[in-house]
Amino acid sequence: MHFREILALAVLAVNIHGVLGSPAPVPDASQAEAGKQLWISTPESTAPPAGIPSDYALHPARRAQPPSGVHLPGPKDRPAMNEQDGHADFIRTPDIGSAAPGYQKQAPVIKGITSVLNSNQQSPLNNGNPLAFKSQKHPYVPNASLFDSSTIKLPLATNKWWQNLIVEQGVDPIHPYPYIVYCNTNSSKIGFPKFTVAPEHVTSDMSSEWELGDASGALKQRKVTNTDALGVEVTWTGSGSAQMRSRFYKGMPFQTFELKGVTPLLRTTNAITKVEPVQRAVLSAHETEAQVTIDVADMPAMSKITLNDNSQWLVASKPEIKWKQNEGTLTQQGAYTGFVQLAHLGDQPQNNINVLQQYVGTYPIEGAVTYAQVQGSDGTGRSSNIVYFYKTNTDVDGDTKQVYNTTSVSTTMQLLSFVLPHHVDNIGNNTILSTGLSGYRSTKGPLTAVAGNIISYNQPLERVSFEGMRAISDSDKDRLKQQLLKDAASSTTVTAQDPYFFGKGVARVARLYQIAQEIGDKTTAATLGTKIVNLLTPWLVSKSNNDTLVYDASWGGVVSTLGISDPSLDFGQGRYNDHHFHYGYFLYAGAILAKYDINTFAPLREPMNQLLRDYANPSYADTQFPYMRHFDPYDGHSWAAGLFSFMDGRNQESTGEAINAYYSAYLYAMALGFDETAAFYEIVLNMEATSGRRYWHPMRSQSKDLYGNAFAHNTVGIVWSSKADYVTFFGADTEFVYGIQMLPFTPATRMLIRPDWVKEAWCPDNNTCADGMKAAAQHANKNGWAQFLYTAYAMVDRNTALDNALSCTPDDGNTLTNTMHWIFTNQQASADA
């Protein structure tokens, strides 16, 4: 989520990102400040503020979502479980490592894979110095009834894909693709989403669902009891020894629940039309075409259940549950200990059930991620392997080759899972299941089945540095220097009092400083360097600015004073919305200053280190800040949204600012000589850029494949866990949708936008595609949004881009100098479109 999105935006006409919608001029910082009084819907205050249409009113029982297709969306160490004596099926999983509780404690040791960074050790960013910011408690106290505080300890997660489980009342769903799951107080509801595709949005609703619980009513409470790098564990407890536990990971075709002393109850809101036992069968390792049907006593019992919406589900249990049907409810008498698995059978039930039953009974109990050391060189192609490791219930000393006891056929008890399109682009063919599964998808497109508890894909790494990609010609350098002198005299005042707009302002000055150094203007650079220090000192050293930063001792992070006191101020950053966007700008300024004047930078170093640890902490051992607050290694990008709950899960709007966050982190680590940390950030930066291009900046043909024919745009405004919108949180004008995915323009921006994409998205014929960048730039009418689009067009046609971009009024985070520099270092000589 972006700074606009947490909250229903009562600022109806203002682009609170720093530029107004067409045709108004770009607002200055003081105007922007006026638009920061935002509105949050709560059960106590569900009426919209003046100016929002009355039909946006919210029902207090349902957390509102920003509506799709409108200009202004609405608001927005594992517990020691008692083992059953003598029962091998009730798995007690061990802890891993001993670092900060609540997260992946230790990177797995995988033969042939060496991690780029030992994340189990303290980062060089953390040298044991005291906190640079005053510590205080957060008024929004973590709800200890939603998680086990004996195992989930500070620092707490604030932006994970499963965040809904531990914020507010924990009633909104999570989205472990391909399912939607509610974790209620005494049960869990599992739904298979139905996607609806329209020109302005892709939405999903539960079209078929099951609820699993205890028929005797013994389950009374549910809590998050563990988390790791890829998933979350939820445990239900109650009277006596009754207990239910599930570990949710994205990409699992089976949703698995371990039961202990529970009377199983499985019910659906649909009518059950048929319950059919499935003969237990496995595919011979020696036969590729025929199925070998045998009786394997040790396999889970399976039933195929058909509902009146024609959906079909595979329900498995071990030991076997003797289900008794009463209309839409299935039960078994008496307490049960074992596990239950549910899997939707997709759009080809017979084929899918043949595949699924080969993997039934295996499920993940731990997940970890390794970012492998960089391979190759610039000449041969640099890359890193991203490795997902799942420990499963069938592992013996880490070996997934344990087999069922049969007299005639063996089956490999591998884990079956799904991967996303960006994984498939760079995954080994031997990992992808040849038979496949059909009819499973997420918001990000179709899901592809893979087998094995180790999944590795190759992440290409694109070089990026402080300087622009290409050398600037002498004539362009002279022109650039002239503009630099003008901007150094007129564009270095930053009056914004909030961390977002101040961050944009100081980063704007830092871009001028970097450009001055790049073109050899040392005199101007020295002046700009002093200016940056003077701007940052009140925020980071003297703490004399109006909206001081403080350390939140309740969750573990740095927040603004206004933000911690009122969640509607500072774009919700007091509740951890958009920290990577906000502090990424600070870190850019710090990186540039550290590179060129490390002595002058010295007083700023420790507070800057702590801002970086706040949003991109590379160490699990850190007890003050959580590991990689925003980044999701499975989806390959960051999530925003913070401590706000949404029915549609997490979201992210501004991929450009996410890129800037990790670009700045990379430059900062480089400037300080932290090579291993820099290598890690380079990988994360490239992952963010890859997913940004794939899901926010698709070619039109890709967009159809991902989102559906009706949603054939070259850009997406907001990607959620369970929907996609062709709007922004501050308006639906096309220039907003394009521009918010680009800013700020730095050398890293070309990692996100490519010449072929710009050429297609530009779409010279407005009649052919009214949503093209050319039409959007014309509509923006020379404001900051138009300048962004014309600047990007330099990748196709330098002269057209330059003439038009320089005639626009810059955004408050941009200058004409920066615009010229980007065009000069990313230009294509002439138009060929």
Side-chain angles (χ1 to χ4, degrees):
M1 174 167 85
H2 205 266
F3 49 81
R4 291 127 332 234
E5 73 231 46
I6 351 170
L7 341 139
L9 298 190
V11 246
L12 299 181
V14 179
N15 164 23
I16 62 179
H17 191 79
V19 278
L20 272 180
S22 172
V26 180
D28 59 24
S30 61
Q31 291 174 304
E33 292 292 313
K36 289 171 54 184
Q37 300 300 318
L38 309 181
W39 172 69
I40 299 176
S41 169
T42 65
E44 292 75 31
S45 176
T46 56
I52 290 185
S54 59
D55 60 352
Y56 283 18
L58 307 174
H59 192 284
R62 178 182 173 96
R63 167 64 71 187
Q65 297 303 290
S68 297
V70 298
H71 275 251
L72 288 161
K76 20 187 201 163
D77 298 335
R78 201 177 316 277
M81 299 179 69
N82 296 324
E83 297 177 355
Q84 182 189 23
D85 292 339
H87 201 293
D89 293 311
F90 195 75
I91 310 295
R92 180 179 179 181
T93 57
D95 289 327
I96 49 174
S98 58
Y103 295 89
Q104 171 186 328
K105 319 297 190 306
Q106 181 174 316
V109 177
I110 303 172
K111 187 176 181 180
I113 300 292
T114 303
S115 177
V116 70
L117 179 74
N118 187 345
S119 57
N120 304 311
Q121 296 180 350
Q122 288 290 354
S123 160
L125 298 168
N126 181 9
N127 52 22
N129 286 338
L131 286 167
F133 305 96
K134 179 183 176 181
S135 179
Q136 70 177 70
K137 294 290 186 179
H138 203 299
Y140 183 68
V141 180
N143 187 346
S145 70
L146 299 177
F147 62 93
D148 187 341
S149 58
S150 70
T151 57
I152 309 296
K153 300 180 180 180
L154 282 172
L156 298 175
T158 61
N159 292 75
K160 299 305 179 184
W161 67 266
W162 45 263
Q163 199 71 42
N164 279 355
L165 293 173
I166 65 168
V167 295
E168 299 182 14
Q169 300 306 308
V171 298
D172 285 336
I174 58 174
H175 302 267
Y177 320 136
Y179 299 101
I180 300 174
V181 175
Y182 287 82
C183 294
N184 302 321
T185 302
N186 57 2
S187 66
S188 182
K189 185 182 291 185
I190 305 96
F192 192 75
K194 177 182 178 180
F195 288 88
T196 302
V197 183
E200 307 308 322
H201 54 80
V202 180
T203 58
S204 63
D205 294 296
M206 291 215 287
S207 62
S208 177
E209 62 188 50
W210 288 96
E211 183 177 13
L212 177 65
D214 179 48
S216 69
L219 298 178
K220 304 292 185 181
Q221 184 180 47
R222 73 100 176 133
K223 289 187 177 185
V224 171
T225 48
N226 195 28
T227 69
D228 58 43
L230 293 169
V232 60
E233 177 186 275
V234 179
T235 302
W236 290 258
T237 57
S239 56
S241 62
Q243 190 175 81
M244 181 169 76
R245 177 172 65 178
S246 186
R247 301 169 187 87
F248 298 105
Y249 293 92
K250 284 184 282 192
M252 296 299 151
F254 293 101
Q255 292 298 299
T256 304
F257 297 83
E258 296 171 341
L259 309 179
K260 179 189 176 186
V262 169
T263 303
L265 179 147
L266 189 61
R267 61 188 172 195
T268 177
T269 54
N270 300 85
I272 297 174
T273 60
K274 188 182 296 185
V275 179
E276 305 170 81
V278 177
Q279 186 174 15
R280 292 177 285 196
V282 293
L283 184 64
S284 168
H286 308 290
E287 297 190 35
T288 57
E289 307 230 344
Q291 280 197 316
V292 180
T293 303
I294 58 173
D295 183 22
V296 186
D298 198 39
M299 289 180 66
M302 293 172 283
S303 298
K304 182 174 70 172
I305 301 178
T306 303
L307 304 181
N308 66 343
D309 62 356
N310 295 320
S311 66
Q312 294 185 333
W313 291 74
L314 178 64
V315 178
S317 60
K318 182 184 177 183
E320 181 178 5
I321 295 177
K322 304 291 186 180
W323 296 110
K324 292 185 178 181
Q325 180 184 352
N326 181 11
E327 297 182 344
T329 300
L330 301 172
T331 58
Q332 172 181 285
Q333 292 297 110
Y336 170 85
T337 295
F339 66 78
V340 176
Q341 291 186 302
L342 295 90
H344 193 277
L345 294 180
D347 60 5
Q348 295 184 21
Q350 189 55 52
N351 174 73
N352 290 340
I353 201 171
N354 290 339
V355 174
L356 286 168
Q357 66 173 317
Q358 298 172 51
Y359 300 89
V360 69
T362 300
Y363 54 90
I365 57 178
E366 292 174 5
V369 181
T370 292
Y371 305 82
Q373 283 187 341
V374 176
Q375 311 165 55
S377 63
D378 289 330
T380 59
R382 299 170 66 250
S383 66
S384 169
N385 286 323
I386 310 303
V387 184
Y388 307 136
F389 173 83
Y390 298 97
K391 180 174 176 59
T392 75
N393 63 310
T394 62
D395 290 356
V396 176
D397 297 326
D399 181 10
T400 58
K401 298 295 185 180
Q402 177 183 349
V403 298
Y404 290 118
N405 296 321
T406 88
T407 57
S408 57
V409 169
S410 294
T411 180
T412 299
M413 295 180 67
Q414 291 180 312
L415 179 68
L416 180 66
S417 63
F418 290 116
V419 292
L420 292 167
H422 78 280
H423 299 129
V424 176
D425 292 343
N426 293 289
I427 204 169
N429 290 331
N430 60 336
T431 306
I432 296 176
L433 213 61
S434 59
T435 50
L437 289 168
S438 175
Y440 302 88
R441 64 162 295 147
S442 74
T443 305
K444 295 183 173 74
L447 297 170
T448 301
V450 297
N453 72 333
I454 297 176
I455 302 169
S456 177
Y457 77 96
N458 188 261
Q459 173 61 58
L461 300 180
E462 180 176 344
R463 285 281 193 190
V464 66
S465 186
F466 291 86
E467 297 81 17
M469 177 185 177
R470 296 172 179 164
I472 304 172
S473 68
D474 289 341
S475 59
D476 285 342
K477 190 177 293 186
D478 290 341
R479 187 175 180 184
L480 188 59
K481 185 173 182 178
Q482 293 175 20
Q483 185 61 48
L484 173 65
L485 293 174
K486 294 178 183 178
D487 285 336
S490 62
S491 299
T492 60
T493 299
V494 181
T495 59
Q497 298 298 306
D498 69 286
Y500 177 73
F501 283 113
F502 172 81
K504 287 184 70 176
V506 73
R508 179 187 72 228
V509 181
R511 281 298 296 147
L512 295 176
Y513 182 39
Q514 167 60 36
I515 293 168
Q517 293 282 1
E518 200 169 327
I519 64 175
D521 188 347
K522 301 299 183 182
T523 301
T524 303
T527 301
L528 291 167
T530 300
K531 184 67 175 180
I532 294 170
V533 172
N534 292 339
L535 288 169
L536 288 172
T537 295
W539 282 82
L540 303 182
V541 181
S542 66
K543 316 298 195 307
S544 58
N545 63 304
N546 291 335
D547 190 7
T548 54
L549 299 177
V550 297
Y551 178 79
D552 162 27
S554 299
W555 294 86
V558 177
V559 295
S560 68
T561 300
L562 290 178
I564 199 173
S565 64
D566 187 339
S568 69
L569 299 179
D570 291 352
F571 314 113
Q573 86 104 261
R575 292 199 185 177
Y576 295 95
N577 178 53
D578 297 353
H579 276 209
H580 55 328
F581 300 160
H582 295 197
Y583 297 150
Y585 286 115
F586 281 72
L587 262 294
Y588 181 79
I592 304 304
L593 192 61
K595 174 178 173 59
Y596 295 108
D597 194 347
I598 191 66
N599 292 327
T600 301
F601 174 70
L604 301 166
R605 180 167 177 162
E606 185 56 35
M608 199 68 77
N609 284 353
Q610 292 179 23
L611 290 186
L612 180 51
R613 287 164 59 203
D614 175 89
Y615 78 83
N617 176 24
S619 170
Y620 288 111
D622 197 320
T623 59
Q624 294 170 321
F625 300 93
Y627 179 83
M628 298 300 290
R629 187 183 300 280
H630 297 272
F631 191 69
D632 186 328
Y634 180 87
D635 286 79
H637 65 78
S638 298
W639 295 113
L643 302 176
F644 298 90
S645 189
F646 296 92
M647 291 286 292
D648 289 312
R650 304 291 93 187
N651 64 71
Q652 180 162 267
E653 181 181 61
S654 180
T655 53
E657 287 177 312
I659 293 293
N660 183 65
Y662 301 115
Y663 172 56
S664 300
Y666 170 64
L667 296 184
Y668 187 80
M670 289 281 287
L672 296 184
F674 300 153
D675 293 345
E676 289 185 350
T677 305
F680 170 73
Y681 286 142
E682 182 186 25
I683 294 169
V684 172
L685 168 60
N686 276 271
M687 291 173 71
E688 187 86 37
T690 295
S691 288
R693 293 192 305 270
R694 198 67 166 90
Y695 305 120
W696 281 263
H697 287 254
M699 303 295 285
R700 288 184 187 268
S701 59
Q702 290 179 321
S703 187
K704 291 179 181 179
D705 292 339
L706 293 175
Y707 302 114
N709 290 333
F711 192 89
H713 303 291
N714 277 118
T715 193
V716 180
I718 311 161
V719 174
W720 296 74
S721 300
S722 63
K723 72 172 181 176
D725 281 321
Y726 187 71
V727 295
T728 71
F729 284 101
F730 51 93
D733 289 353
T734 306
E735 59 266 31
F736 300 166
V737 182
Y738 278 107
I740 198 61
Q741 307 307 339
M742 299 179 185
L743 64 86
F745 273 78
T746 71
T749 307
R750 69 173 294 111
M751 301 175 71
L752 192 58
I753 58 176
R754 302 297 203 199
D756 57 344
W757 177 84
V758 174
K759 182 176 179 181
E760 181 180 275
W762 191 255
C763 194
D765 185 356
N766 292 357
N767 295 322
T768 302
C769 45
D771 62 346
M773 282 173 59
K774 179 181 179 181
Q778 293 170 341
H779 180 261
N781 193 28
K782 304 297 183 181
N783 70 4
W785 295 111
Q787 188 173 67
F788 292 141
L789 306 193
Y790 285 124
T791 301
Y793 192 58
M795 302 185 93
V796 176
D797 181 353
R798 165 205 161 107
N799 292 334
T800 298
L802 192 62
D803 291 345
N804 284 279
L806 296 186
S807 67
C808 298
T809 302
D811 166 59
D812 59 353
N814 199 20
T815 61
L816 292 180
T817 299
N818 186 52
T819 299
M820 292 172 66
H821 178 272
W822 202 90
I823 292 173
F824 293 159
T825 56
N826 291 276
Q827 63 190 13
Q828 176 68 33
S830 61
D832 57 356

